[in-house]
């Protein structure tokens, strides 16, 4: 054990990375179930490692791991502090919960001869997301970002068996995602030009005297835009609805819960660790770019969601709105606001994970998630729809759910910043969420059942169990928010600590 | 002023290439041409990195024993990675185009949009695709 | 049993009953038995707490703090005790009546109906015993959500649109105004605990106080202060037992109860009367009171008329709170109980008439009094109690409210009370008069010849509550005695 412990940071990424090519080997003999079990096992190992890392950074100090013993800032450094340990836990945790759900869902939605390759891509995607989060090297972020993005495009395209539009969704995401990533790498290049370093901690130090440098400003702008594209910040969200709608259910669950969150994390990392609100141009960005865009996102996302007829697309647009909340917290750049963002990274993963998983169950039985086909479904699939409603309540932000915790902090943040009209806007946009959730309630419970012959059964237990685990977590962390708020406060204080 | 323009000619070239690539991505309706544009765009970034590693009078960083000025090798290494990423992206994009062509019968964005719209309409009417 | 466990039990018993009901959905008789038993057990448990509260004990439970200063916390105080007693007591009668009504009308989805009913009762208990505004708000929202399926029970387009307005207004006001007010309060005081002197004193700029009060008062949509009253008439699409639940047992009572709680324990009566921040509320409530009474006169649909009557009666209580005097609070608290018992009588009678004759319009109800003597007798007693004539329960609450107006020298309010009582006479007794004295319209409708009283379970409960109206007249001092500690 003592031998492994110091190497946990690298193992976190190396294990899924090595596992991916191994997984391909199962093609010989076509062991689909083995491939799934293998992926499941890898996910759980990652989850345990992330748990160990988080507990270590929370109880002890930050971990710095030099890859290949090349000391930072020359070599690549993996750096674990509370915020990214927290994000690592979210990614691997969602993966660990989603994979038990995956087997039947994948069996149903993806062509049989592609399963093993699907799991391989999934492992690569996991690697990429974990890598982006853990690394302390700016260029390394780009590399892992592309690993995760490329595998994501593949994963989305596997939805082609359900709907051919998965292909165009993947293609559009590929174009926009690549532009985003390239913008990001241009930004990194510009920063490297003036500082000569790629290490994030080192960058932060060397940028201090350069706050008036035009190249730094340009680099900053490229990074914000690049990450804005990746995290679907309104109006750069156009790739997201189709990608979420036509991807296989498992992929939607995983992406909605993790991938945009990772981009939010990277943005946070650059905004606060590398630059920080003490720079004028960062503050201006907060006030005149992120704040208005976040508010528009909250409303545009929610209002568009109301008019959707496909449940997955509805929640995809709701994700755009929720990302608006996260960006709003960033833009406030005070402790409660930033706490709200960090909490919402976690909380939104829980609720969207649960919601898309419930839709995955619907997909498994019905083969479609259009609202028109879900009429009266509350009676034939009570557990699935019950979970959907509870997840929806959490999305609205009903007290007792995680959604409430993040909104509460967000409102506190706006009031502390003196923007009380924005507090009212937050509340108003929550009311829009009530409308689109209630649209589903009415369809599911008050419409005449289509399935009169009772041929439709509840989803199998192996899908319901992970779904309900997430639903229960939604409520558990809504009532016992000690751990999450503690981490969030810790992180927010570190991020804003350099300000004074 | 003119001096500044000329002495930074590499950046001007890079910017022109970058904008060209981006323009092709946005303006072309043909999916393959979009990928071509994306490639031009990415290539300009490769050039950006490579040219910023150049040290005037420097040579390739090979230890020959004589003290010499070396070009910075790090951007070159970085861009090797980025080239690999670019190739992977291109390959994947083209693979997607092939599949799109198989199921839609076209690679023109406008035609794809038309057939998707009709599919959207049939979704709303309840018949599954 | 310790007081704490009684408190928790009173919230859990209805839920346990709900689980029992869902398990027994195949055996309707057992299912109804389960409803009745849990209502009786609940009433027993709640009333066992009463003597302890009367003797001045307090019961406190604090569960974990969700966020700093925001704990899930319960605290039994006299006003909550009164609300809990009213709700749990009337639940027994309402359950009896539900059984008669739902079976008499052969409604569908009865199991769902009973389950959500138990959740609504449980959340009412939560509201009654909430120890801080946060806990109260949670249960307030649960109550809204759990009554939504009840309002939409019939599932036709009318029910759906009615339920949409119901939910939209209640959620909209509670999130849009009330939550903002709560967060504002929390931000300036750092606590949301119900404290006898209020928590705002000295913490807020008095010029902002009326705004905060407005956020609370309009945010508590369940108190149906105009212009946020429309949910009540549109919820009339629900089956009658649900209307009784909304109007008498739980929902609107939860609203005015919250109003009283906020005024007493968040603002503090003295602070309010010193700053005069509630003066506007006196006018707003008076307006609602009179306007709703006048609208009630124009309504021919019996349930709609009763709905507007409720809106007007709720404003009595809000007015009692707005006067910011201890007697007004007493009167308001008393009116929660007396109006509940009077209004439930009226609604159950309306339901009984519907079950027996399928008539909903007052103009069609001529001469029914002679065919349905018990129903109409109960209706008369209920009406008189609402009007506030002795010897019926409603007398006392109006007495105290008028006294409060005199005490604070707001003579206008006394005028409003008198005028509205006259309007009450008009819109309620005209129904009674039509029933007893107008000739039956048998010529137009031959089927009326066969009209008989509704089934026993539909008629007995209103008769019981009518007796209750009289009994409460003589025992009102007990309620006053219960409430007195809060206004010292």
């Amino acid at each position: 054990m003592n031998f492994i412990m110091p190497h946990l940071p690298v193992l976190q990424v190396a294990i899924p990375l090595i596992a991916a090519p191994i997984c391909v080997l199962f093609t010989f003999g076509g062991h689909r179930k083995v491939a799934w079990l293998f992926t499941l096992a890898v996910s759980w190992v990652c989850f345990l490692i992330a748990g160990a890392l988080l507990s270590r950074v929370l109880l002890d100090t930050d971990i710095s791991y030099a890859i290949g013993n090349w000391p930072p800032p020359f070599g690549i450094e993996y750096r674990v502090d509370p915020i990214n340990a927290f994000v690592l836990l979210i990614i691997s945790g969602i993966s660990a919960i989603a994979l038990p759900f995956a087997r039947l869902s994948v069996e149903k939605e993806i062509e049989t001869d592609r399963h093993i390759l699907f799991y391989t891509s999934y492992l690569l995607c996991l690697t990429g997301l974990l890598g982006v989060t853990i690394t302390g090297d700016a260029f390394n972020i780009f590399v892992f970002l592309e690993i995760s993005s490329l595998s994501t495009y593949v994963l989305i395209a596997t939805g082609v068996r359900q709907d051919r539009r998965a292909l165009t969704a993947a293609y559009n995401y590929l174009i926009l995602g690549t532009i985003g990533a390239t913008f990001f790498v241009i930004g990194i290049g510009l920063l490297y030009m003036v500082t000569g370093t790629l290490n994030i901690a080192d960058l932060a130090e060397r940028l201090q005297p350069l706050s008036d440098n035009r190249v730094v400003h340009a680099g900053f702008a490229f990074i914000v835009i690049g990450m804005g594209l990746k995290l679907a910040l309104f109006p750069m969200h156009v790739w997201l609805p189709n990608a979420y709608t036509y991807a296989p259910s498992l992929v939607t669950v995983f992406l909605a819960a993790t991938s945009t969150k990772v981009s939010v994390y990277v943005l946070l990392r650059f905004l606060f660790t590398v630059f920080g609100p003490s720079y004028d141009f960062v503050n201006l960005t907060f006030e005149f770019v992120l704040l208005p865009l976040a508010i528009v996102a909250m409303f545009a996302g929610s209002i568009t969601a109301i008019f959707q007829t496909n449940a997955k697309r509805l929640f995809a647009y709701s994700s755009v709105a929720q990302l608006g909340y996260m960006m709003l917290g960033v833009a406030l750049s005070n402790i409660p606001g930033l706490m709200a963002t960090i909490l919402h990274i976690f909380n939104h993963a829980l609720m969207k994970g649960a919601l898309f998983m419930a839709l995955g169950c619907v997909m498994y039985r019905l083969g479609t998630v259009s609202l028109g086909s879900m009429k009266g479904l509350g009676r034939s699939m009570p557990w699935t729809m019950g979970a959907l409603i509870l997840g929806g309540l959490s999305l609205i932000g009903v007290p007792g759910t995680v959604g409430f915790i993040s909104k509460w902090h967000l409102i506190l943040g706006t009031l502390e910043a003196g923007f009380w009209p924005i507090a009212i806007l937050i509340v108003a946009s929550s009311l829009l969420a009530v409308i689109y959730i209630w649209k589903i309630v009415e369809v599911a419970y008050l419409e005449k059942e289509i399935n009169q012959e009772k041929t439709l059964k509840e989803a199998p237990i192996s899908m319901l169990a992970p779904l309900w685990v997430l639903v229960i977590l939604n409520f558990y962390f809504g009532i016992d928010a000690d751990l999450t708020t503690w981490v969030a406060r810790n992180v927010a204080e570190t991020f804003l600590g350099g300000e004074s | 002023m003119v001096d500044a323009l000329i002495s930074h000619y590499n950046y001007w070239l890079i910017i022109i290439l970058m904008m060209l690539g981006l323009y092709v991505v946005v303006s072309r309706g043909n999916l393959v041409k979009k990928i071509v544009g994306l490639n031009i765009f990415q290539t300009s970034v490769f050039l950006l990195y490579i040219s910023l590693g150049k040290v005037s009078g420097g040579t390739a960083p090979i230890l020959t024993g004589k003290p010499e000025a070396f070009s910075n090798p790090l951007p070159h290494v970085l861009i090797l990675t980025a080239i690999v990423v670019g190739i992977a992206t291109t390959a994947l994009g083209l693979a997607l185009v092939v599949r799109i062509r198989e199921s839609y019968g076209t690679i023109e964005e406008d035609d794809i949009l038309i057939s998707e719209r009709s599919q959207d309409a049939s979704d709303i009417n309840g018949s599954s695709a | 049993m310790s007081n704490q466990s009684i408190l928790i039990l009173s919230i859990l018993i209805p839920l346990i009953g709900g689980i029992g009901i869902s398990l027994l959905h195949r055996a309707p008789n057992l299912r109804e038995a389960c409803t009745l038993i849990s209502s009786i057990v609940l009433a027993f448990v709640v009333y066992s707490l009463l003597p302890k509260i009367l003797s001045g004990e307090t019961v406190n439970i604090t569960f974990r703090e969700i966020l700093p200063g925001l704990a899930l916390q319960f605290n039994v105080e006299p006003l909550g005790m009164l609300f809990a007693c009213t709700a749990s007591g009337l639940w027994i009668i309402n359950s009896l009546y539900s059984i008669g009504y739902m079976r008499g009308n052969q409604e569908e989805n009865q199991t769902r109906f009973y389950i959500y009913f138990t959740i609504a009762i449980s959340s009412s208990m939560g509201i009654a015993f909430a120890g801080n505004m946060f806990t109260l708000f949670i249960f307030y929202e649960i109550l809204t959500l759990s009554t939504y399926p009840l309002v939409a029970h019939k599932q036709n387009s009318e029910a759906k649109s009615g339920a949409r307005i119901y939910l939209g207004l209640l959620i909209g006001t509670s999130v849009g105004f009330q939550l903002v007010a709560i967060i504002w309060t929390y931000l300036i005081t750092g606590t949301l605990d119900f404290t006898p002197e209020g928590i705002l004193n000295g913490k807020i700029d008095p010029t902002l106080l009326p705004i905060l009060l407005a956020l609370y008062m309009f945010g508590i949509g369940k108190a149906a202060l105009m212009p946020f009253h429309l949910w009540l008439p549109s919820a009339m699409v629900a089956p009658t037992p649900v209307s009784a639940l909304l109007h008498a047992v739980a929902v609107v009572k939860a609203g005015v109860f919250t109003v009283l709680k906020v005024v007493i324990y968040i603002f503090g009566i003295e602070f309010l009367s010193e700053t005069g921040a509630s003066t506007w509320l006196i006018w707003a409530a008076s307006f609602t009171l009179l306007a709703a009474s006048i609208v009630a006169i124009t309504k021919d649909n019996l349930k709609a008329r009763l709905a507007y009557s409720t809106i007007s009666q709720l404003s009595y209580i809000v007015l009692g709170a707005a006067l910011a005097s201890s007697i007004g609070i007493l009167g308001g608290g008393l009116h929660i109980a007396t109006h509940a018992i009077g209004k439930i009588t009226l609604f159950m009678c309306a339901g009984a008439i519907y079950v027996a004759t399928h008539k909903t319009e007052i103009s069609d109800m001529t001469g029914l009094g002679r065919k349905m003597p018990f129903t109409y007798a109960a209706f008369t007693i209920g009406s008189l109690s609402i009007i506030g004539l002795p010897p019926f329960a409603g007398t006392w609450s109006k007495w105290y409210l008028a006294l409060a107006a005199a005490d604070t020298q707001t003579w206008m309010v006394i005028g409003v009370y008198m005028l509205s009582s006259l309007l009450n006479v008009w819109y309620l007794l005209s129904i009674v008069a039509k029933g007893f004295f107008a000739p039956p319209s048998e010529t137009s409708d031959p089927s009326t010849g066969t009209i008989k009283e509704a089934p026993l379970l539909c008629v007995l409960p209103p008769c019981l509550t009518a007796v209750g109206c009289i009994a409460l007249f003589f025992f009102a001092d007990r309620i006053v005695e219960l409430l007195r500690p809060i206004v010292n």
Side-chain angles (χ1 to χ4, degrees):
Chain A
M1 233 21 221
N2 285 336
F3 170 71
I4 296 177
M5 284 310 275
H7 296 290
L8 282 184
V10 71
L11 286 176
Q12 176 86 83
V13 182
I15 288 178
L17 184 63
I18 296 166
I22 295 177
C23 189
V24 183
L25 296 179
F26 295 120
T27 342
F28 303 107
H31 300 294
R32 301 206 307 271
K33 203 165 176 183
V34 181
W36 166 72
L37 267 176
F38 180 69
T39 315
L40 180 69
V42 171
S43 277
W44 273 93
V45 171
C46 287
F47 181 53
L48 295 179
I49 293 177
L53 284 175
L54 181 66
S55 65
R56 250 177 76 187
V57 291
L58 284 183
L59 302 175
D60 207 8
T61 53
D62 296 0
I63 306 169
S64 164
Y65 183 88
I67 299 282
N69 264 337
W70 295 92
F74 307 108
I76 292 172
E77 181 196 15
Y78 279 7
R79 198 176 179 87
V80 190
D81 59 10
I83 172 71
N84 64 4
F86 192 52
V87 177
L88 288 175
L89 192 76
I90 296 171
I91 300 167
S92 53
I94 291 288
S95 174
I97 297 175
L99 273 169
F101 165 91
R103 201 178 71 82
L104 289 174
S105 177
V106 167
E107 198 75 32
K108 168 101 180 171
E109 291 178 30
I110 292 164
E111 285 153 71
T112 337
D113 56 337
R114 301 285 156 79
H115 283 188
I116 295 170
L117 294 175
F118 175 85
Y119 286 120
T120 309
S121 308
Y122 181 90
L123 282 171
L124 281 176
C125 186
L126 183 64
T127 311
L129 294 174
L130 292 171
V132 170
T133 313
I134 203 169
T135 187
D137 181 277
F139 197 81
N140 210 223
I141 290 183
F142 164 74
V143 173
F144 278 118
L145 197 66
E146 282 298 45
I147 293 180
S148 76
S149 301
L150 285 168
S151 45
T152 306
Y153 310 143
V154 174
L155 289 175
I156 292 172
T158 53
V160 67
R161 183 177 172 186
Q162 300 291 317
D163 197 316
R164 61 178 182 170
R165 279 170 286 185
L167 293 174
T168 45
Y171 180 86
N172 286 332
Y173 186 20
L174 179 134
I175 297 287
L176 289 175
T178 308
I179 292 177
T182 313
F183 266 53
F184 179 73
V185 87
I186 295 172
I188 301 291
L190 294 174
L191 294 187
Y192 178 73
M193 228 184 245
V194 288
T195 59
T197 181
L198 290 170
N199 183 291
I200 285 179
D202 202 28
L203 259 181
E205 239 166 71
R206 295 191 187 204
L207 281 173
Q208 295 283 0
L210 295 170
S211 64
D212 289 330
N213 191 314
R214 281 285 169 79
V215 180
V216 173
H217 296 181
F220 175 75
F222 272 112
I223 288 171
V224 171
I225 299 289
M227 274 301 131
L229 254 170
K230 277 293 193 191
L231 68 80
L233 173 61
F234 185 91
M236 296 176 274
H237 67 281
V238 282
W239 57 269
L240 184 142
N242 272 346
Y244 281 14
T245 311
Y246 300 119
S249 302
L250 171 70
V251 178
T252 314
V253 169
F254 188 61
L255 289 188
T258 60
S259 111
T260 46
K261 311 296 173 299
V262 169
S263 307
V264 173
Y265 156 76
V266 174
L267 190 62
L268 281 177
R269 187 54 99 193
F270 274 90
L271 288 177
F272 290 99
T273 308
V274 176
F275 292 98
S278 53
Y279 294 90
D280 285 341
F281 58 91
V282 177
N283 261 329
L284 288 177
T285 312
F286 285 153
E287 201 168 328
F288 294 106
V289 180
L290 286 185
L291 191 70
L293 285 185
I295 293 170
V296 177
M298 274 156 45
F299 281 88
S302 301
I303 291 171
T304 324
I306 293 172
F307 295 103
Q308 298 308 313
T309 51
N310 177 308
K312 261 171 127 178
R313 188 186 286 268
L314 186 156
F315 285 119
Y317 275 108
S318 130
S319 277
V320 174
Q322 302 286 323
L323 286 161
Y325 290 129
M326 290 179 214
M327 283 302 106
L328 181 59
V330 173
L332 293 170
S333 79
N334 55 20
I335 298 255
L338 211 52
M339 278 175 76
T341 303
I342 293 153
L343 284 169
H344 210 51
I345 289 178
F346 177 74
N347 294 345
H348 185 242
L350 287 184
M351 46 194 162
K352 273 291 151 57
L355 286 168
F356 280 118
M357 224 182 247
L359 290 180
C361 293
V362 174
M363 195 76 169
Y364 183 75
R365 285 298 185 208
L366 284 183
T368 167
V369 288
S370 74
L371 286 181
S373 60
M374 285 164 70
K375 282 180 186 160
L377 207 58
R379 244 151 294 166
S380 18
M381 303 178 73
W383 287 97
T384 307
M385 294 315 281
L388 193 66
I389 302 309
L390 292 179
L393 291 181
S394 183
L395 194 66
I396 295 169
V398 173
T401 62
V402 287
F404 176 76
I405 305 284
S406 12
K407 286 218 173 118
W408 176 269
H409 282 97
L410 194 57
I411 292 179
L412 281 185
T414 51
L415 292 178
E416 194 177 298
F419 297 137
W420 61 267
I422 297 179
I424 293 172
L425 290 180
I426 295 171
V427 167
S429 77
S430 308
L431 290 176
L432 294 175
V434 176
I435 297 179
Y436 59 73
I437 297 298
W438 233 257
K439 208 172 134 177
I440 297 177
V441 173
E442 284 193 358
V443 167
Y445 288 92
L446 300 180
E447 296 275 352
K448 272 261 179 313
E449 212 165 348
I450 290 183
N451 158 52
Q452 293 290 358
E453 305 89 40
K454 305 282 170 203
T455 47
L456 198 64
K457 281 189 302 221
E458 181 55 272
I461 185 77
S462 70
M463 297 175 87
L464 284 180
L467 168 61
W468 276 88
V469 168
L470 280 179
V471 170
I472 290 165
L473 286 180
N474 261 299
F475 282 84
Y476 178 78
F477 284 107
I479 293 166
D480 180 2
D482 282 356
L483 175 71
T484 45
T485 42
W486 182 52
V487 174
R489 179 171 295 282
N490 194 330
V491 174
E493 278 165 2
T494 332
F495 272 171
L496 294 172
E499 192 183 4
S500 52
Chain B
M1 183 67 197
V2 180
D3 266 5
L5 283 179
I6 294 173
S7 65
H8 291 102
Y9 71 95
N10 53 337
Y11 295 119
W12 292 109
L13 272 180
I14 289 162
I15 290 170
I16 290 167
L17 263 186
M18 198 180 273
M19 292 303 118
L20 266 179
L22 211 50
Y23 177 74
V24 171
V25 174
V26 177
S27 65
R28 293 294 120 175
N30 185 305
L31 299 188
V32 175
K33 287 182 182 167
K34 270 180 188 286
I35 290 183
V36 172
L38 204 61
N39 266 310
I40 298 175
F41 178 54
Q42 285 180 313
T43 310
S44 72
V45 181
F46 303 160
L47 290 177
L48 172 76
Y49 268 75
I50 292 168
S51 67
L52 70 86
K54 173 70 183 168
V55 175
S56 18
T59 63
I62 303 167
L63 282 179
T64 53
K66 281 176 267 174
E68 275 180 278
F70 297 124
S71 284
N72 185 350
L74 184 65
H76 302 172
V77 179
L78 295 180
I79 236 52
L80 267 181
T81 320
I83 289 172
V84 174
V85 169
I87 290 171
T89 314
T90 312
L92 180 58
L94 290 174
L96 281 172
V97 174
V98 170
R99 290 297 304 269
I100 289 174
R101 157 89 192 172
E102 277 171 14
S103 47
Y104 287 81
T106 173
I107 53 168
E108 289 298 326
E109 206 172 29
D110 296 344
D111 299 340
I112 292 172
L113 272 181
I114 290 169
S115 70
E116 285 200 342
R117 288 238 172 84
S118 63
Q119 207 175 342
D120 282 340
S122 68
D123 277 359
I124 293 170
N125 296 336
S127 60
S128 67
Chain C
M1 245 186 335
S2 78
N3 294 344
Q4 269 87 353
S5 48
I6 293 181
L7 203 165
I8 296 170
L9 267 182
S10 62
I11 294 169
L12 286 185
I13 286 169
L15 291 181
I16 296 168
I19 295 169
I21 291 167
S22 66
L23 292 178
L24 294 171
H25 68 107
R26 284 178 207 288
N29 288 330
L30 287 177
R31 179 186 68 195
E32 264 80 305
C34 184
T35 305
L36 267 181
I37 290 170
S38 37
S39 66
I40 292 168
V41 173
L42 175 68
F44 178 75
V45 168
V46 170
Y47 279 86
S48 72
L49 211 51
L50 187 57
K52 295 175 183 167
I53 301 300
L54 273 173
S55 65
E57 276 183 62
T58 52
V59 185
N60 263 308
I61 308 181
T62 306
F63 290 99
R64 51 170 308 107
E65 285 204 341
I66 295 180
L67 297 168
L70 291 189
L72 206 56
Q73 183 182 343
F74 296 100
N75 177 25
V76 185
E77 45 77 56
L79 197 61
M81 197 62 227
L82 175 70
F83 177 47
C85 286
T86 313
S88 62
L90 291 182
W91 188 31
I92 304 178
I93 295 170
N94 202 357
S95 314
L96 275 176
Y97 181 76
S98 306
I99 298 167
Y101 182 90
M102 297 305 272
R103 292 191 171 187
N105 265 343
Q106 289 159 358
E107 297 272 353
E108 287 176 13
N109 297 317
Q110 292 197 17
T111 308
R112 183 181 74 188
F113 170 86
Y114 288 114
I115 291 175
Y116 281 103
F117 221 104
T118 56
I119 300 176
I121 295 291
S122 165
S123 49
S124 308
M125 293 299 127
I127 292 175
F129 295 142
N132 58 24
M133 197 59 210
F134 174 70
T135 314
L136 197 152
F137 182 72
I138 294 179
F139 283 100
Y140 182 96
E141 295 295 25
I142 299 177
L143 182 59
T144 310
L145 293 175
S146 63
T147 44
Y148 168 80
L150 296 174
V151 175
H153 186 80
K154 285 183 181 149
Q155 287 183 241
N156 50 27
S157 60
E158 196 193 350
K160 258 186 272 180
S161 66
R164 245 182 239 162
I165 297 176
Y166 175 79
L167 191 78
L169 269 177
L170 287 187
I171 293 269
T173 50
S174 66
V175 177
F177 303 128
Q178 193 184 342
L179 186 61
V180 174
I182 291 173
I183 295 174
W184 188 357
T185 312
Y186 174 76
L187 205 67
I188 52 180
T189 61
T191 174
L192 288 172
D193 292 350
F194 290 131
T195 351
E197 305 82 31
I199 52 176
L200 284 169
N201 197 348
K203 299 262 173 59
I204 184 173
D205 180 1
T207 49
L208 289 177
L209 204 58
I211 301 173
L212 183 60
L213 185 69
L215 281 177
Y216 270 115
M217 291 303 131
F218 291 116
I220 303 167
K222 290 191 173 118
L225 206 57
M226 279 182 181
F228 298 109
H229 64 284
L230 271 179
W231 62 271
L232 251 183
S234 60
M236 283 297 109
V237 292
T240 308
V242 177
S243 305
L245 174 81
L246 296 181
H247 286 261
V249 181
V251 178
V252 298
K253 292 292 130 57
V256 285
F257 171 73
T258 313
V259 167
L260 289 178
K261 278 280 228 193
V262 166
V263 166
I264 302 172
Y265 296 114
I266 299 283
F267 285 86
I269 307 170
E270 281 179 20
F271 185 47
L272 265 189
S273 68
E274 276 165 23
T275 51
S278 59
T279 321
W280 69 270
L281 187 59
I282 296 178
W283 291 93
S286 303
F287 173 76
T288 306
L289 210 166
L290 291 179
S293 302
I294 292 166
V295 175
I297 294 169
T298 66
K299 293 286 170 190
D300 191 38
N301 182 303
L302 178 56
K303 279 171 83 178
R305 184 176 288 193
L306 292 180
Y308 275 97
S309 154
T310 301
I311 296 172
S312 125
Q313 297 289 325
L314 292 178
S315 280
Y316 276 87
I317 302 171
V318 178
L319 202 48
L323 289 172
S325 81
S326 46
I327 305 174
I329 299 290
L330 271 185
L334 199 55
H335 203 60
I336 289 184
T338 56
H339 173 251
I341 198 159
K343 206 27 99 36
I344 199 173
T345 311
L346 297 186
F347 265 104
M348 289 194 293
C349 290
I353 294 171
Y354 179 73
V355 170
T357 69
H358 281 271
K359 283 179 178 171
T360 55
E361 306 304 306
I362 295 165
S363 49
D364 293 340
M365 294 180 186
T366 47
L368 282 183
R370 271 165 278 178
K371 312 270 188 199
M372 310 174 65
F374 287 102
T375 309
Y376 265 77
F379 193 92
T380 313
I381 294 173
S383 305
L384 292 174
S385 177
I386 298 274
I387 293 164
L389 293 178
F392 302 104
T395 318
W396 291 119
S397 44
K398 291 210 175 175
W399 167 263
Y400 274 103
L401 287 171
L403 214 58
D407 185 45
T408 54
Q409 312 207 326
T410 36
W411 306 110
M412 183 275 291
V413 173
I414 294 188
V416 169
Y417 279 143
M418 308 236 294
L419 189 57
S420 85
S421 294
L422 287 178
L423 292 171
N424 282 345
V425 172
W426 185 350
Y427 67 72
L428 285 176
L429 288 189
S430 66
I431 303 168
V432 176
K434 275 216 178 75
F436 280 119
F437 306 119
S441 55
E442 271 167 288
T443 46
S444 59
D445 185 0
S447 66
T448 41
T450 58
I451 287 176
K452 286 195 302 257
E453 280 283 7
L456 176 68
L457 278 180
C458 278
V459 180
L460 183 64
C463 293
L464 286 177
T465 51
V467 174
C469 282
I470 302 173
L472 212 56
F473 176 77
F474 296 103
F475 293 108
D477 61 321
R478 305 295 291 275
I479 299 179
V480 176
E481 188 191 328
L482 172 68
L483 291 182
R484 199 168 291 285
I486 58 174
V487 292
N488 271 342

